[in-house]
Amino acid sequence: MLFNSYEFIFVFLPVTFFVYFYLNQKRLTKASKGFLVFSSLFFYSWWNITYLPIILFSMLFNYIIGDTLNREEGHHRFSKKSILIFGIVSNIALLGYFKYTNFMIDNMNYWIFKEDIPNINLALPLAISFFTFQQISYLVDSYKEETKEYDFFNYALFVTFFPQLIAGPIVHHKEMMPQFSKTRNKVKNYRNIAMGLFIFSIGLFKKVVIADTFAIWATQGFDEATTLNLFEAWATSLSYTFQLYFDFSGYTDMAIGIALLFNIKLPINFNSPYKATDIQDFWRRWHITLSRFLKDYIYIPLGGNKKGEIRTYTNLMATFIIGGLWHGAGWTFIFWGFLHGLALVIHRVWSKLNFKLWTWFAWFITFNFINISWVFFRAKEWDDALKVLGGMFSLDHIILHEKLKIILSFLPYDGIKFGTMFIAQGGTLDVVLWLIFILFFVIFSKNSIQLLNTFKQNIFYAFITALLFVISLFDMNKISEFLYFNF
Amino acid sequence: MKYLIQLFIFIILVFISFYIFILSVDPYDKYNFNYWELKTKAVNSYRDNKFNQIDNSQIKYDLFIIGSSRVQGFNPSLIELETGLKTFNYGVNNSKPEDLLAITRHIIAKQKPKIIFLQVDFYHLNKSIPIDRRLKTSPLGKYLNENIKASSSNSIFYLYNQSYLTLRSLRDSIKIIYKNKLGKIETTHNKNGMKIEHKIPKKAKLAKAYFQNEYKNYEFGKQRIQDFIQLKELCKKNDINLIVSISPMNKEHFLTLMKNKKLFNMLLMFKRKIVEIFIEVYDFNNLGAFQYNYPYWIDSVHPSMELSNIMSEIIFDRKKEESNIFGKKITNDNINQYLQDLNISSQKLFSN
């Protein structure tokens, strides 16, 4: 079920909300938790019920392993470390089987066998990357004795809680379990409801109005156009840059808003990432909960920055290549991770030289690097990425608007023609207006979490919330999935 | 709690305001409201622009191309080279026999062409597609048949027969108001009616919407057949050479259509009916079209300019005539054999 669907907004969410608090009001706290787990699994199964056994199995397996790790050393036949390794390897094997098998087969076909071993007919279970990472972190923390003995209901709720189940934020048991247990969270909190509806409406607007508008232009450029000229290529890459941000941050805002209705505070995932003035700053602002996971469970265990400069650089590269691979089974994702790892290494070296760039110049370089690297992230094949990048840096076949002919006809360069601009985007100049407006918006305006922090229960906020919600509602006839559902 | 009540009231108020505004504009003429006294409700002014161009044209055109969006790729300049006749592309999106007849009347009222090239589409004779009621209020309205002018409000433009609870209808309402009260006319095509350049996608997508709308409940409409007969008679009366072709579809579209046996039979019957009406027809809707892939299609039914150029060469450059199954000339004499061959070869392809 999608957050941006009528059945979710008008049926699933209100029913779950009222039944959950009704059960709590009747002091049936176990039943209310059970109901929330059931609702979450129903929400998950709405897409395809065949995925349900996989998440149930994964949850049960990790709960047993976590429970074993929570017991004292002498209580089991194997050492805690070997149990942990078994748990992690099993999780990675499950993820690897569903997500990377065909990628491996394709590569073996290409590099080793030089023949055509057929792919396995496997559908990627929804949210597997998210719930696997979340549970690996639980196992590691159990090993470190940082978890308590939770009952299965609590654990199941931590994994399946529907606002964050499909695409995060990747939550930590420490920030979720205590919230589920607090008595005061079991009664309706009108301020939380008001705040939740406010940020949900912002997220819904970001997704259905902004992201889905840019999606059209990005798809036309990446998937449909055969060639792109300079302006079309930049319009394509920037459209995707904004689509991805508004799609994923919109989803996160909705998740935070829905969780607030249930008095649960989810961690923030985005903090104006396109305002970043260096690549390290970007990763402190973009998909914050994934960055946290990669840092705590990959970078630091690899040695972090404690084992010398060269090892630090290697660790950074390894972490980001794994991050790239986590997003998708493809060389373009790996290359995207490699680019970001490399940028972080360069940033680290640069920082040691103590040069300071003018802030706007630093922002310009950072933003453009991110924009260019997203091209690899989005492209289905290398050729698509090269087509877009080729257009972005080619001065051949530049087409300027016909009206500029009178002013600019003196230009001596043969590559410039006058005619319809942005043919790849349907010949509309709307794309330019949207890009300029949204660029200014992401640079100068407050982000949704900052807006949430200034939220007041007054007429102004009620009107803004209503306006955003109704506009989004009017635009929901074109149902579209969230991009991060694919990862 | 007080805030939540305020919020709820605002949601209702904003919702109702939007809806009332859309209803007052009634952008798709669903309810025949015209509170703002608007001259036109055409959001895409393509049709109106071409009408105005011909209505006010000082240029004399000898050849007109008429048809739906599928003729937009025909290049008048190339046809001029092939025929030596001044050519105008009067193709309008989503046209049907009733407005093709009105367009022909308009052409004859304003110009004295030697040739009209009409391309018909499979969906043209489908009775189940309602009449576009916006035609009545469009400049073309006065050239429509009387029965359409007097048609009741029960007929609804099918493409826009959707809820007014959409941002698109809100956006279109604002656009319509802007265009009528403040705006300028958009440029949609070149002076000779040729569509402004377009990009050709790497892979032509299957135009699925045709199976959901245009081909739905396919049944021959008597009035639509009658409109084509009238169009032919009108040309004959005015000594205009009427050239007719059937538009192509790519392999994927053709095979998808074949999955529905009834629909495929209708396609064969459609060809027979078109030959019955027009006597001599160039058929591009056959297996000959399958040799063309990239860059010959915009989608599975819209030929690109490249393919349209080939088609116009087949029609207007006599040297290439009869050279290919693609654009085969069919008449009452060869229709039986032709349909039999087409059926056999299509079935063979389908079973493979």
Side-chain angles (χ1 to χ4, degrees):
Chain A
M1 207 178 293
L2 295 165
F3 289 169
N4 55 324
S5 63
Y6 298 115
E7 61 268 25
F8 178 82
I9 293 175
F10 295 114
V11 182
F12 178 84
L13 187 59
V15 169
T16 309
F17 175 83
F18 286 112
V19 173
Y20 174 72
F21 283 109
Y22 176 78
L23 292 171
N24 275 322
Q25 199 185 335
K26 298 282 169 194
R27 296 177 185 275
L28 299 166
T29 48
K30 277 259 178 205
S32 72
K33 267 184 196 168
F35 174 73
L36 211 47
V37 172
F38 170 79
S39 302
S40 299
L41 292 173
F42 176 82
F43 169 84
Y44 182 79
S45 311
W46 186 262
W47 277 278
N48 193 342
I49 199 157
T50 52
Y51 300 147
L52 186 62
I54 297 165
I55 193 172
L56 287 174
F57 168 77
S58 168
M59 226 158 49
L60 194 64
F61 172 82
N62 283 295
Y63 177 72
I64 293 167
I65 297 283
D67 194 47
T68 315
L69 287 168
N70 273 322
R71 285 186 216 145
E72 284 178 24
E73 189 75 68
H75 285 77
H76 24 69
R77 282 170 58 192
F78 303 101
S79 71
K80 272 190 166 186
K81 198 168 186 174
S82 40
I83 294 170
L84 174 70
I85 290 167
F86 172 69
I88 293 174
V89 168
S90 304
N91 274 295
I92 291 172
L94 182 77
L95 182 63
Y97 175 71
F98 282 105
K99 196 162 179 174
Y100 303 108
T101 307
N102 285 333
F103 177 61
M104 298 281 280
I105 291 173
D106 288 343
N107 278 286
M108 284 196 292
N109 277 339
Y110 188 81
W111 297 105
I112 304 169
F113 302 126
K114 313 278 183 199
E115 59 183 90
D116 207 12
I117 301 170
N119 280 348
I120 299 171
N121 189 14
L122 275 179
L124 183 69
L126 198 67
I128 190 167
S129 306
F130 284 92
F131 67 69
T132 305
F133 265 32
Q134 199 161 306
Q135 294 186 105
I136 288 176
S137 72
Y138 174 75
L139 295 187
V140 174
D141 291 348
S142 298
Y143 172 74
K144 290 183 193 164
E145 296 176 2
E146 289 174 5
T147 58
K148 291 177 189 166
E149 285 183 31
Y150 304 110
D151 64 26
F152 183 67
F153 259 153
N154 276 320
Y155 180 77
L157 196 52
F158 154 66
V159 179
T160 63
F161 185 49
F162 72 90
Q164 53 83 41
L165 170 62
I166 309 296
I170 301 171
V171 289
H172 205 276
H173 61 93
K174 271 189 265 184
E175 58 203 0
M176 297 299 286
M177 300 294 202
Q179 294 195 71
F180 290 130
S181 317
K182 269 185 191 160
T183 313
R184 69 162 183 256
N185 285 348
K186 292 183 172 56
V187 288
K188 280 197 261 332
N189 179 327
Y190 291 111
R191 182 168 169 77
N192 279 347
I193 294 169
M195 288 169 75
L197 292 175
F198 174 64
I199 194 162
F200 179 84
S201 301
I202 292 177
L204 189 63
F205 185 86
K206 279 161 96 172
K207 164 65 185 161
V208 300
V209 179
I210 303 177
D212 288 353
T213 300
F214 280 117
I216 299 166
W217 297 317
T219 306
Q220 284 169 335
F222 273 102
D223 301 339
E224 293 172 10
T226 43
T227 54
L228 295 167
N229 65 36
L230 180 77
F231 295 116
E232 291 167 347
W234 278 95
T236 301
S237 69
L238 287 169
S239 292
Y240 183 67
T241 294
F242 291 128
Q243 182 203 350
L244 185 62
Y245 171 57
F246 283 99
D247 188 283
F248 194 20
S249 70
Y251 174 86
T252 308
D253 289 345
M254 281 188 259
I256 289 171
I258 298 161
L260 265 176
L261 300 181
F262 294 88
N263 298 321
I264 302 294
K265 284 183 183 153
L266 293 180
I268 67 164
N269 226 5
F270 292 91
N271 183 18
S272 305
Y274 293 153
K275 286 180 185 170
T277 51
D278 62 59
I279 193 67
Q280 197 177 35
D281 187 22
F282 173 76
W283 279 104
R284 285 189 189 123
R285 294 164 175 268
W286 177 273
H287 205 173
I288 296 166
T289 56
L290 175 70
S291 308
R292 181 177 70 176
F293 179 91
L294 293 174
K295 185 180 136 215
D296 291 348
Y297 298 99
I298 299 176
Y299 179 67
I300 290 174
L302 285 172
N305 58 2
K306 306 282 181 207
K307 296 192 175 178
E309 279 302 299
I310 301 294
R311 185 68 188 271
T312 305
Y313 301 150
T314 319
N315 291 343
L316 274 173
M317 293 299 294
T319 305
F320 274 86
I321 287 171
I322 292 168
L325 198 58
W326 176 84
H327 280 92
W331 286 106
T332 48
F333 285 109
I334 295 172
F335 188 66
W336 170 81
F338 168 80
L339 281 178
H340 276 264
L342 189 66
L344 278 156
V345 170
I346 292 169
H347 171 257
R348 210 176 161 84
V349 174
W350 179 266
S351 304
K352 285 192 185 296
L353 298 174
N354 274 332
F355 286 126
K356 188 95 178 138
L357 283 178
W358 184 51
T359 310
W360 277 103
F361 187 58
W363 169 83
F364 182 78
I365 292 174
T366 310
F367 181 76
N368 277 293
F369 168 76
I370 292 158
N371 180 43
I372 288 166
S373 65
W374 285 140
V375 171
F376 292 98
F377 192 83
R378 167 63 173 81
K380 286 177 184 158
E381 288 159 23
W382 286 106
D383 286 348
D384 292 334
L386 296 177
K387 173 187 76 182
V388 178
L389 288 172
M392 286 167 80
F393 296 102
S394 165
L395 294 178
D396 298 337
H397 313 301
I398 294 174
I399 296 178
L400 296 173
H401 198 278
E402 249 169 348
K403 285 181 182 167
L404 297 172
K405 199 173 182 176
I406 307 159
I407 316 162
L408 298 174
S409 56
F410 65 89
L411 288 173
Y413 180 54
D414 286 342
I416 297 177
K417 286 180 183 167
F418 295 90
T420 310
M421 293 179 80
F422 303 104
I423 293 172
Q425 276 78 26
T428 174
L429 288 177
D430 290 359
V431 62
V432 184
L433 299 175
W434 273 81
L435 285 173
I436 293 171
F437 176 74
I438 293 297
L439 184 63
F440 272 86
F441 185 79
V442 295
I443 298 171
F444 295 109
S445 79
K446 287 179 180 174
N447 63 45
S448 39
I449 298 299
Q450 288 165 329
L451 289 172
L452 185 67
N453 291 337
T454 58
F455 175 80
K456 288 183 184 72
Q457 295 187 53
N458 59 27
I459 284 194
F460 173 74
Y461 278 94
F463 179 71
I464 293 294
T465 308
L467 195 65
L468 293 173
F469 181 72
V470 174
I471 290 175
S472 309
L473 215 56
F474 268 70
D475 212 16
M476 267 170 45
N477 57 327
K478 49 173 196 345
I479 296 294
S480 61
E481 283 195 1
F482 292 89
L483 291 176
Y484 259 68
F485 282 20
N486 301 319
F487 301 141
Chain B
M1 192 64 183
K2 186 186 154 198
Y3 171 83
L4 291 176
I5 293 166
Q6 276 176 351
L7 175 63
F8 183 72
I9 292 168
F10 271 127
I11 288 174
I12 301 290
L13 279 180
V14 173
F15 186 88
I16 289 173
S17 313
F18 280 3
Y19 194 59
I20 288 176
F21 171 68
I22 294 166
L23 278 183
S24 73
V25 178
D26 192 13
Y28 314 135
D29 269 344
K30 276 178 78 170
Y31 306 108
N32 257 350
F33 297 155
N34 199 357
Y35 172 80
W36 299 83
E37 295 178 351
L38 305 164
K39 285 179 190 160
T40 175
K41 293 187 181 180
V43 177
N44 179 349
S45 50
Y46 214 100
R47 196 182 290 258
D48 290 3
N49 288 358
K50 285 197 175 180
F51 177 91
N52 290 331
Q53 207 169 326
I54 292 303
D55 221 42
N56 303 305
S57 177
Q58 299 300 313
I59 304 167
K60 187 186 173 317
Y61 292 101
D62 297 315
L63 195 157
F64 279 88
I65 303 158
I66 60 172
S68 68
S69 53
R70 302 193 203 181
V71 300
Q72 306 279 22
F74 281 101
N75 185 349
S77 307
L78 178 70
I79 296 173
E80 277 178 31
L81 279 177
E82 289 163 347
T83 60
L85 300 172
K86 192 79 184 156
T87 306
F88 185 85
N89 188 329
Y90 205 149
V92 290
N93 294 355
N94 202 35
S95 66
K96 287 174 281 293
E98 54 269 20
D99 49 338
L100 289 170
L101 176 60
I103 284 169
T104 307
R105 283 183 182 135
H106 180 230
I107 291 170
I108 290 168
K110 296 290 169 183
Q111 302 257 340
K112 293 284 172 243
K114 291 176 180 155
I115 297 173
I116 288 181
F117 166 50
L118 162 71
Q119 183 165 268
V120 295
D121 303 333
F122 174 43
Y123 73 85
H124 273 156
L125 295 186
N126 188 0
K127 185 186 172 184
S128 309
I129 308 171
I131 293 160
D132 179 353
R133 282 178 51 214
R134 294 184 308 174
L135 283 172
K136 283 202 295 182
T137 49
S138 77
L140 202 58
K142 60 181 172 180
Y143 295 102
L144 290 168
N145 275 346
E146 287 303 320
N147 62 324
I148 298 174
K149 287 184 200 170
S151 65
S152 74
S153 58
N154 292 331
S155 59
I156 292 166
F157 183 36
Y158 76 104
L159 265 184
Y160 293 96
N161 183 15
Q162 54 183 342
S163 167
Y164 271 171
L165 299 175
T166 61
L167 204 56
R168 180 180 168 167
S169 59
L170 178 65
R171 204 161 36 217
D172 285 349
S173 301
I174 295 168
K175 260 187 175 178
I176 288 167
I177 297 285
Y178 172 80
K179 196 184 151 199
N180 276 269
K181 305 288 180 192
L182 305 160
K184 291 176 187 170
I185 293 169
E186 302 164 65
T187 307
T188 52
H189 53 270
N190 295 327
K191 279 181 184 167
N192 56 11
M194 176 74 195
K195 189 181 179 184
I196 291 170
E197 308 162 73
H198 50 264
K199 275 263 166 160
I200 303 157
K202 269 190 295 191
K203 190 178 181 306
K205 279 186 188 167
L206 178 69
K208 286 180 194 158
Y210 278 78
F211 294 91
Q212 290 147 11
N213 301 309
E214 277 87 343
Y215 305 153
K216 201 176 171 186
N217 304 325
Y218 202 115
E219 212 181 313
F220 289 137
K222 276 185 189 168
Q223 186 56 51
R224 293 220 149 105
I225 292 170
Q226 202 53 44
D227 288 340
F228 271 155
I229 292 171
Q230 276 191 49
L231 192 155
K232 188 187 83 171
E233 296 300 327
L234 200 59
C235 288
K236 195 176 169 186
K237 197 175 149 192
N238 287 279
D239 206 18
I240 297 167
N241 179 15
L242 179 66
I243 300 172
V244 181
S245 73
I246 300 174
S247 64
M249 47 182 76
N250 77 1
K251 191 176 177 179
E252 189 186 8
H253 199 97
F254 195 87
L255 291 177
T256 310
L257 196 137
M258 279 192 77
K259 282 181 191 166
N260 184 332
K261 205 174 170 185
K262 188 194 156 204
L263 207 54
F264 182 64
N265 284 336
M266 287 307 289
L267 177 69
L268 299 180
M269 282 160 67
F270 165 81
K271 286 170 194 266
R272 190 182 290 281
K273 191 63 81 183
I274 290 296
V275 171
E276 257 175 52
I277 300 169
F278 295 109
I279 314 294
E280 189 180 280
V281 175
Y282 291 91
D283 190 12
F284 293 103
N285 188 277
N286 57 33
L287 278 59
F290 303 167
Q291 62 190 299
Y292 300 106
N293 294 308
Y294 174 80
Y296 295 106
W297 300 93
I298 305 293
D299 64 24
S300 64
V301 290
H302 288 90
S304 69
M305 197 202 285
E306 283 76 5
L307 186 56
S308 303
N309 286 347
I310 293 171
M311 289 157 67
S312 72
E313 276 177 6
I314 290 169
I315 295 166
F316 297 109
D317 185 346
R318 302 301 160 101
K319 277 177 275 177
K320 295 191 177 176
E321 197 181 320
E322 302 294 342
S323 62
N324 203 325
I325 182 83
F326 185 60
K328 175 88 178 166
K329 195 192 277 181
I330 44 175
T331 61
N332 279 321
D333 296 336
N334 66 0
I335 183 79
N336 288 335
Q337 187 61 45
Y338 173 75
L339 290 182
Q340 197 182 344
D341 293 348
L342 179 64
N343 192 14
I344 293 167
S345 49
S346 304
Q347 298 297 347
K348 206 171 161 185
L349 180 80
F350 188 70
S351 57
N352 286 336

